[in-house]
């Protein structure tokens, strides 16, 4: 699993992730492979950083699929745009990358099987397996280390001066206490756009 966090504070947006990959009981540390869990996509609204949690197979698939989307379809500047983009992406993942969409017989919709956080100049967003989209006001985390990260970010948020500081606290806690998360951490920041 992993620890990935997004933070919005003082006009700054931050996204951070640990770099450990696990296969059952085996740990593949950053020392042995470039385990980046955050990738950047260019949209008409500027760069967006995508972080995800789930099976390792999702990382190259989502990076490749989003990188090949036409820019007029790849929009990530609001909850509705994130929803629309991932709804259009879902059949592409099924048809071209053989996404297995079934989790349980009682599922209300086909599952995309992953959790994603998005950070860009418009805000921080979360997307879950049935394409539920959330826009977070302060911070959020996904992955097996999220509980530790959320606690640390909650404690740090009021005192920290920047989003990056809060993200660093979250990732440090995830790496310290979650057995499936380890540093070094990747951290990216962007300046938030002012709302018109």
């Amino acid at each position: 699993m992993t620890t990935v966090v997004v933070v919005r504070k003082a006009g700054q947006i931050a996204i951070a992730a640990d770099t450990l990959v696990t296969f059952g009981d085996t740990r593949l540390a950053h020392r042995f492979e470039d385990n980046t869990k955050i990738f950047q996509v260019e949209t008409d609204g500027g760069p967006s950083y995508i972080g995800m949690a789930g099976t390792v197979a999702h990382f190259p698939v989502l990076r490749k699929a989003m990188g090949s989307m036409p820019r007029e379809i790849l929009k990530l500047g609001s909850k509705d745009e994130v929803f629309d983009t991932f709804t259009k992406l879902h059949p592409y993942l099924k048809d071209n990358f053989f996404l297995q969409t079934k989790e349980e017989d009682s599922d209300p919709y086909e599952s995309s099987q992953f959790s994603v956080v998005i950070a860009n100049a418009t805000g921080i967003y979360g997307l879950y397996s049935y394409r539920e989209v959330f826009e977070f006001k302060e911070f959020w985390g996904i992955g097996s280390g999220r509980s530790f990260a959320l606690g640390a970010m909650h404690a740090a948020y009021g005192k920290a001066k920047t989003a990056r500081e809060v993200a660093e606290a979250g990732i440090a806690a995830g790496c310290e206490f979650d057995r499936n998360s380890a540093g070094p951490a990747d951290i990216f920041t962007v300046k938030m756009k002012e709302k018109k």
Side-chain angles (χ1 to χ4, degrees):
M1 294 293 286
T2 192
T3 304
V4 185
V5 301
V6 287
V7 182
R8 174 181 175 167
K9 182 172 178 88
Q12 185 182 64
I13 302 288
I15 185 169
D18 79 294
T19 54
L20 177 68
V21 170
T22 56
F23 305 92
D25 291 333
T26 304
R27 296 166 46 100
L28 180 61
H30 186 70
R31 171 183 168 198
F32 300 105
E33 206 266 334
D34 183 16
N35 298 330
T36 301
K37 298 175 184 178
I38 299 170
F39 63 93
Q40 180 180 334
V41 293
E42 289 297 329
T43 69
D44 288 341
S48 287
Y49 293 92
I50 315 294
M52 49 181 316
T55 181
V56 174
H58 288 316
F59 292 87
V61 168
L62 192 60
R63 185 175 53 247
K64 187 79 163 171
M66 292 186 82
S68 66
M69 289 181 80
R71 282 178 88 150
E72 62 271 9
I73 295 174
L74 183 59
K75 297 187 182 301
L76 302 169
S78 70
K79 279 176 68 170
D80 286 342
E81 287 183 359
V82 170
F83 176 81
D84 290 344
T85 295
F86 278 87
T87 299
K88 291 171 186 161
L89 186 62
H90 184 77
Y92 183 72
L93 293 172
K94 286 173 44 179
D95 295 343
N96 295 285
F97 296 96
F98 314 106
L99 174 69
Q100 176 56 258
T101 62
K102 189 169 178 121
E103 289 184 19
E104 297 179 23
D105 288 335
S106 61
D107 286 349
Y109 298 97
E110 288 184 351
S111 172
S112 293
Q113 303 277 358
F114 49 70
S115 299
V116 170
V117 288
I118 300 165
N120 59 46
T122 66
I124 54 176
Y125 307 94
L127 176 101
Y128 290 88
S129 60
Y130 300 119
R131 287 156 306 285
E132 315 98 299
V133 180
F134 299 90
E135 182 175 5
F136 303 109
K137 294 180 180 178
E138 295 180 350
F139 57 85
W140 194 247
I142 59 172
S144 56
R146 75 183 165 277
S147 295
F148 304 114
L150 288 171
M153 291 187 297
H154 175 75
Y157 194 83
K159 299 172 192 157
K161 289 185 170 53
T162 66
R164 183 182 181 98
E165 289 177 56
V166 179
E168 288 171 344
I171 288 299
C175 291
E176 184 71 28
F177 297 106
D178 176 44
R179 68 183 175 145
N180 295 313
S181 299
D186 289 325
I187 303 174
F188 301 93
T189 60
V190 292
K191 185 177 179 184
M192 188 153 185
K193 279 185 187 169
E194 290 187 28
K195 302 265 182 181
K196 294 179 182 180

